[in-house]
Amino acid sequence: IVAPAFGRVRMAGYERRVTATVDRLLDDVVATVRPGEPWDLMARFSAPLPIAVITDLLGIPAYDEPMFLRYGQAIAGALDGVRSPRHAADLVRASRTLESVFDRLITERERDPGDDVVSALVVARDEGRAAPEDLVPLCNLLLLAGFETTVNLIGSAVQQLLAHPDQWQLLVDGLSGDEGEQLVEGAIEETLRFAPPVHLTGRFALAATEI
């Protein structure tokens, strides 16, 4: 149902918006951090980038970035298990808040459809291709999948390149050449292979299962 929104043609159309978001976040770092002063890559860039892109893709017109970051981290952090009673409470709070956000957004898209994933989900529901109760969980899944994987991939890629300065220099030296794009793609693919953004996730048996 949501696959068309992630096709090559649609993704190419998002490239300009993604680039603009990257430029805005990095320009903000340049404007607020003195030369040589350390700054937090994850907080200032890796986390805000996917939140901005995925909320755009879902068609959320105005979003509370700190709230989405906080709740996205709470839900994503439960992929490999709930760590404490406090984490469990944060997870319940995040799930209820996001459910309310998506319920309102679905209602808005019923009245005023747009060129976004939630509008496509509403159409799929009306055509009988999606169950009404599946719309909010699908939105949650897209938010989570777009958030956690990108945050960790960026962090892991930078960490690995810093740990292997010869590879970093190879990438920098090759960016201006004809194979620059291939080098970047190769670095991303190798990071996905060598240090994947999600290592494991929980599953629940729906019937008695022997392993």
Side-chain angles (χ1 to χ4, degrees), residues 39-76:
W39 58 280
D40 191 326
L41 173 77
M42 305 303 283
R44 296 290 299 271
F45 181 75
S46 298
L49 173 61
I51 286 292
V53 173
I54 201 70
T55 51
D56 185 19
L57 189 145
L58 289 170
I60 301 174
Y63 68 98
D64 182 337
E65 184 176 285
M67 182 199 78
F68 270 88
L69 286 173
R70 186 167 66 253
Y71 292 152
Q73 288 166 346
I75 296 174

Side-chain angles (χ1 to χ4, degrees), residues 8-37:
R8 293 183 68 87
V9 174
R10 289 291 292 273
M11 285 295 97
Y14 285 118
E15 183 176 358
R16 181 170 52 83
R17 283 187 278 183
V18 173
T19 301
T21 303
V22 168
D23 290 344
R24 173 177 61 81
L25 292 171
L26 293 181
D27 285 347
D28 183 59
V29 170
V30 172
T32 58
V33 178
R34 292 190 297 271
E37 183 182 1

Side-chain angles (χ1 to χ4, degrees), residues 77-159:
L79 276 174
D80 53 0
V82 177
R83 297 185 298 274
S84 66
R86 174 176 290 182
H87 186 198
D90 290 343
L91 183 61
V92 170
R93 190 180 305 112
S95 298
R96 288 175 176 171
T97 302
L98 290 176
E99 181 177 348
S100 176
V101 169
F102 288 128
D103 276 336
R104 290 197 304 270
L105 185 60
I106 289 168
T107 300
E108 290 175 10
R109 290 297 170 261
E110 289 171 344
R111 297 193 305 265
D112 184 22
D115 183 26
D116 55 71
V117 172
V118 173
S119 295
L121 288 175
V122 171
V123 171
R125 180 203 62 189
D126 294 344
E127 293 177 349
R129 294 184 290 115
E133 63 271 20
D134 287 342
L135 265 61
V136 170
L138 270 172
C139 290
N140 271 324
L141 177 62
L142 290 171
L143 178 67
L144 173 61
F147 176 73
E148 181 72 354
T149 50
T150 306
V151 172
N152 291 348
L153 174 61
I154 293 172
S156 294
V158 171
Q159 183 184 44

